[in-house]
Amino acid sequence: DIPDYQSMSYLSPISFASKASGLVITNLANNKIQWEQTARVNAGIDLGLFKDRLFLTLDVYQSKTDNLLVQQDLDERVGGGKYWTNGGSLENKGYEFTLDAKVLNLKDFRWDLGFGIGQYKNKVTSLVNKDGYFLTDAYDGQVITQVGQAAGLFYGYKTQGVFATAEEANKALLLMENSPGSYSQFKAGDVHFEDINKDKFNYIYDIIDEKDKQVIGDPNPDFYGSINSSWMYKRFKLDALFTYSYGNDVYNYYRRMLESGKDFNNQTRAMNNRWLAEGQQTDQPRATWGDPMGNSRFSDRWIEDGSYFKLKNLALSYELPLKNDFIRGINIWLAGSNLFTISNYLGVDPEFSVENGVLYQGIDAGLLPISRSYSIGFRIDL
């Protein structure tokens, strides 16, 4: 699902200093670009037990995708930028298991219960990029696609809290490069970022830069599934569907904007706990105009556990005792969707993602999520 016209060369308008306008080359043609190719193998079993009072379904699958559509860097001699091409391969494997049971089947009361669980793992097996990975910018953050790992992992800085005292900050000996040859030292109230490459300045200080980025989250769940239940008493019927996901991470971009402490924009109440004085123990760094030390940079501060348990649908219906030559039955129902969610996620909805693409899953950019809704209606069978 790449943008349109990526196999063609085209120009786009550009404005120069608000005084003149012109056209620049936006994309270079690649007439060899083609569809990705996927081969898939499935194996499954359906098993009914106890006169189908208990029904089990298991589906196991594995697929491999070749000719991945990826972005390559253009040579600097043509002005830089990126272009779409085919290269690399990706494999997916997983399973889905469901168990449905007729728990009770009495004269006036019936109870059906179902449970489902699934898991998938994807892994990039090859790429045309010489470094074996490529980065994709997404909402002031980055995701990495790297050989041997899942596609679209969150890629940024890991943190170790906030420096509470000047002594603690001085002991860490961390610097940030402002410009070539110009450095600033992290102070009390700044975030303590993890230095992984141990690059030294003057054989003393460690520099926090892009070489210290690492995988900080995975939007793919460890497992997911659903629970459905149906109760029937005489002419009444109550249906419920619960969904769940465990182990998936979410990038809360919206919270990052509202807890950066770098400008006069509205902030959340979490900023009341920001660092203010020497010795204060807090996980909220100091507020500084412009954020010169990059405390709000893309880091695991904004990666949250997106696990959830949700009541997805609930419906109550009643079958009227009315039948004649013209009407076979009348059913009245009342239903609700997204009634409640149990989650530690600080955003609105951990299930909602800004895009469906594999490189943008698990990103909450503050768009309007799936809302709670109610409906009432009736059905007439003639």
Side-chain angles (χ1 to χ4, degrees), residues 10-310:
Y10 55 84
L11 305 175
S12 296
I14 188 172
S15 175
F16 296 96
S18 301
K19 300 295 183 181
S21 60
L23 296 173
V24 296
I25 297 176
T26 306
N27 197 63
L28 292 181
N30 179 7
N31 55 16
K32 294 183 179 180
I33 198 169
Q34 65 181 60
W35 296 106
E36 297 178 345
Q37 297 174 333
T38 299
R40 181 181 173 108
V41 177
N42 285 67
I45 183 173
D46 296 328
L47 181 63
L49 301 172
F50 312 112
K51 297 182 180 180
D52 288 341
R53 290 285 299 270
L54 191 66
F55 201 84
L56 296 85
T57 300
L58 175 64
D59 183 35
V60 181
Y61 60 88
Q62 183 168 355
S63 65
K64 182 178 181 181
T65 302
D66 294 312
N67 294 318
L68 288 178
L69 288 165
V70 297
Q71 281 190 310
Q72 283 275 77
D73 291 320
L74 283 168
D75 194 291
E76 293 181 357
R77 291 173 294 179
V78 295
K82 297 179 181 292
Y83 72 102
W84 285 97
T85 185
N86 293 99
S89 56
L90 171 77
E91 66 177 24
N92 285 278
K93 56 183 178 181
Y95 69 87
E96 291 184 346
F97 173 78
T98 60
L99 173 65
D100 295 298
K102 296 179 180 178
V103 182
L104 291 174
N105 193 10
L106 306 177
K107 180 181 179 181
D108 292 329
F109 182 74
R110 196 172 85 184
W111 179 23
D112 295 337
L113 182 64
F115 171 79
I117 187 172
Q119 183 188 62
Y120 69 87
K121 297 291 183 181
N122 72 70
K123 183 173 69 173
V124 178
T125 54
S126 67
L127 287 174
V128 293
N129 303 58
K130 62 180 180 180
D131 297 324
Y133 72 92
F134 65 86
L135 302 174
T136 304
D137 295 329
Y139 293 87
D140 294 335
Q142 283 186 325
V143 298
I144 186 171
T145 302
Q146 186 172 18
V147 173
Q149 296 183 341
L153 301 180
F154 298 124
Y155 188 69
Y157 298 88
K158 284 191 176 180
T159 61
Q160 299 177 337
V162 173
F163 293 120
T165 64
E167 180 183 0
E168 184 181 341
N170 291 331
K171 186 177 179 180
L173 298 173
L174 295 181
L175 298 179
M176 189 184 79
E177 187 173 18
N178 305 315
S179 59
S182 175
Y183 299 90
S184 296
Q185 185 174 357
F186 287 86
K187 301 177 181 179
D190 288 327
V191 175
H192 185 177
F193 293 103
E194 182 178 330
D195 179 65
I196 63 173
N197 70 334
K198 304 301 179 183
D199 48 349
K200 295 291 185 180
F201 176 72
N202 288 341
Y203 304 99
I204 299 175
Y205 297 96
D206 291 318
I207 301 173
I208 299 299
D209 55 20
E210 292 203 351
K211 297 177 183 177
D212 297 307
K213 288 184 177 181
Q214 55 187 305
V215 174
I216 57 176
D218 185 352
N220 301 292
D222 294 336
F223 57 85
Y224 61 92
S226 64
I227 300 173
N228 61 82
S229 186
S230 179
W231 298 271
M232 285 153 282
Y233 177 72
K234 294 186 177 180
R235 295 181 176 274
F236 288 94
K237 183 179 181 182
L238 180 64
D239 293 303
L241 173 63
F242 300 87
T243 59
Y244 63 89
S245 178
Y246 178 80
N248 55 298
D249 293 319
V250 177
Y251 167 31
N252 195 335
Y253 172 78
Y254 199 51
R255 185 168 70 86
R256 180 185 177 188
M257 295 297 99
L258 295 178
E259 294 181 13
S260 66
K262 64 181 180 180
D263 49 37
F264 293 133
N265 290 332
N266 284 338
Q267 303 284 279
T268 70
R269 284 178 291 184
M271 291 301 295
N272 291 332
N273 297 322
R274 69 190 184 277
W275 187 92
L276 293 172
E278 178 79 5
Q280 179 182 351
Q281 300 290 332
T282 180
D283 58 357
Q284 195 71 31
R286 60 193 175 111
T288 309
W289 175 259
D291 192 19
M293 299 306 295
N295 289 321
S296 65
R297 71 183 72 187
F298 185 55
S299 69
D300 56 7
R301 288 183 61 201
W302 318 117
I303 305 299
E304 301 181 30
D305 179 14
S307 304
Y308 66 86
F309 183 80
K310 176 178 292 191

